[in-house]
Amino acid sequence: MLQKIEALLKEISGLTATSAEEIEQLRLKYLSRKGEINALMADFRNVAAEEKKVVGVKINELKQVAFDHINALKEQLENRSDEADDIDLTRTPYPIRLGTRHPLTIVKNEIIDIFQRMGFTLAEGPEIDDDLHVFTKLNFAADHPARDMQDTFFIETNPDDVAKNVILRSHTSNDQAHYMETHQPPIRVICPGRVYRNEAISARAHCFFHQVEGLYIDKNVSFTDLKQVLLSFAREMFGADTKIRLRPSYFPFTEPSAEMDISCHICGGKGCGFCKHTGWVEILGCGMVDPNVLEACGIDSSVYTGYAFGMGVERITNLKYRVADLRMFSENDTRFLREFEAAF
């Protein structure tokens, strides 16, 4: 048996083939159910007990050698076929340049990384959702004027029950609503995603863009906690000398609410055209989660408090790279994208 195996090893190692048909015939001869190696396996039962271990190892080795050699023949044949193909005269004579990550992806990943190092976990939800999670559970009443601020794309409308409308989400806060429904505090999540609003496309606005929102709910969470987290984020993203300020604002799902500005990192807060000579640039909205939102999502507002914040990825990217026209992010112009090859 061992002599036969050695003879087959030598025979297989010297096999050659010039066509796919010849390679297939070799495969059938040695590796098929009726092939020579399977025949050896059938004879294996007649091998003496003290020799079975050695013979079994040799048969497995033979099978592997046959498999590898036949695959190598296939690869050689494919390489020869590629070389023999006619030249494509329509192909550019220049080397095809490798792409790079999109600037929005670079900045989004940087934002996520900063908050993950603070203990936030990643949570994502649907871009097509119902009104219940996009608006109603976030304290938007059916006739709330804040609904008009969102310029929502409606896919299906239900006159009898507004909460069942199917829409393209206008903010990633719906991810938070879904998460609060299925998880109990402590909750600390970061929610990135694409959102849609029915706006005229221009250098300063688009019908779709990207957001990153954060949510933290636990016992005794305060506005001071929110301020410290946002200060840490701003300094990680824009530099250790960055200052922040919080201005009172309004959002249906937070109370109190604020807009956060950072000191302009271009002029150092002295005033320039980019910051409209104020020394400050707005980057996000934030606030303490409204108790109505907690209760609507099944969380006891008498026990837990929390904060939420949200920022536009395009806005942060503009601040870091000073992209003048938002449309450039979605035009897929490789000349624009190559400018970010060294950005990650």
Side-chain angles (χ1 to χ4, degrees), residues 121 125 210 277:
T121 57
H210 301 78
H277 301 283

Side-chain angles (χ1 to χ4, degrees), residues 215-218 221-222 254-255 287-290 294 304-308:
L215 174 70
Y216 178 40
I217 299 173
D218 204 346
V221 177
S222 68
T254 54
E255 180 59 38
M288 299 300 292
V289 179
D290 192 295
L294 295 177
Y304 298 102
T305 54
Y307 60 70

Side-chain angles (χ1 to χ4, degrees), residues 179-200:
Y179 198 90
M180 284 188 284
E181 277 186 332
T182 56
H183 297 76
Q184 282 297 307
I187 293 171
R188 195 195 298 252
V189 294
I190 193 82
C191 307
R194 183 179 295 170
V195 300
Y196 306 85
R197 294 185 187 176
N198 188 15
E199 297 183 1

Side-chain angles (χ1 to χ4, degrees), residues 14-25:
L15 292 176
T16 59
T18 58
S19 67
E21 292 76 13
E22 289 182 12
I23 293 173
E24 179 62 13
Q25 289 300 319

Side-chain angles (χ1 to χ4, degrees), residues 97 99-107 314 317-318 321-343:
R97 298 189 61 170
T100 182
R101 288 181 183 167
H102 195 280
L104 294 179
T105 302
I106 296 169
V107 172
E314 281 84 349
T317 307
N318 274 344
Y321 300 119
R322 300 182 70 180
V323 179
D325 192 332
L326 283 178
R327 292 170 292 192
M328 297 178 73
F329 289 130
S330 55
E331 288 178 350
N332 206 29
D333 188 331
T334 56
R335 295 169 300 177
F336 170 68
L337 297 177
R338 285 193 203 114
E339 296 180 14
F340 300 91
E341 287 179 338

Side-chain angles (χ1 to χ4, degrees), residues 288-314:
M288 299 300 292
V289 179
D290 192 295
N292 291 335
V293 174
L294 295 177
E295 294 293 342
C297 294
I299 295 174
D300 189 345
S301 62
S302 66
V303 178
Y304 298 102
T305 54
Y307 60 70
F309 56 85
M311 67 193 78
V313 179
E314 281 84 349

Side-chain angles (χ1 to χ4, degrees), residues 109-320:
N109 289 344
E110 187 176 355
I111 294 170
I112 292 171
D113 179 64
I114 291 171
F115 283 108
Q116 283 185 325
R117 283 188 271 117
M118 295 185 197
F120 288 79
T121 57
L122 199 61
E124 296 179 296
E127 293 182 13
I128 300 175
D129 208 349
D130 53 37
D131 185 293
L132 179 67
H133 292 90
V134 178
F135 291 127
T136 305
K137 283 185 176 290
L138 297 173
N139 206 32
F140 288 80
D143 57 351
H144 200 295
R147 286 178 180 268
D148 298 331
M149 297 163 51
Q150 301 291 335
D151 298 318
T152 307
F153 282 108
F154 288 85
I155 298 175
E156 294 179 12
T157 57
N158 190 324
D160 299 323
D161 189 351
V162 173
K164 294 182 180 179
N165 286 340
V166 179
I167 60 180
L168 292 177
R169 66 180 180 186
S170 54
H171 49 203
T172 51
S173 303
N174 69 316
D175 295 352
Q176 300 179 19
H178 282 288
Y179 198 90
M180 284 188 284
E181 277 186 332
T182 56
H183 297 76
Q184 282 297 307
I187 293 171
R188 195 195 298 252
V189 294
I190 193 82
C191 307
R194 183 179 295 170
V195 300
Y196 306 85
R197 294 185 187 176
N198 188 15
E199 297 183 1
I201 297 174
S202 68
R204 299 175 60 86
H206 212 292
C207 61
F208 73 87
F209 52 99
H210 301 78
Q211 288 185 338
V212 176
E213 298 199 19
L215 174 70
Y216 178 40
I217 299 173
D218 204 346
K219 295 177 180 178
N220 302 317
V221 177
S222 68
F223 203 97
T224 302
D225 299 321
L226 170 62
K227 181 179 178 180
Q228 187 57 49
V229 163
L230 296 181
L231 176 62
S232 299
F233 163 73
R235 289 179 173 173
E236 285 275 346
M237 178 62 72
F238 298 104
D241 295 331
T242 303
K243 299 177 182 177
I244 68 169
R245 71 176 183 184
L246 297 169
R247 295 177 287 104
S249 186
Y250 165 77
F251 303 108
F253 34 84
T254 54
E255 180 59 38
S257 304
E259 299 276 3
M260 189 181 95
D261 304 331
I262 61 168
S263 54
C264 181
H265 65 291
I266 295 172
C267 64
K270 297 177 182 178
C272 65
F274 190 81
C275 63
K276 300 178 181 178
H277 301 283
T278 65
W280 297 93
V281 182
E282 177 192 327
I283 65 166
L284 59 82
C286 61
M288 299 300 292
V289 179
D290 192 295
N292 291 335
V293 174
L294 295 177
E295 294 293 342
C297 294
I299 295 174
D300 189 345
S301 62
S302 66
V303 178
Y304 298 102
T305 54
Y307 60 70
F309 56 85
M311 67 193 78
V313 179
E314 281 84 349
R315 180 68 168 164
I316 304 297
T317 307
N318 274 344
L319 289 173
K320 286 184 70 69

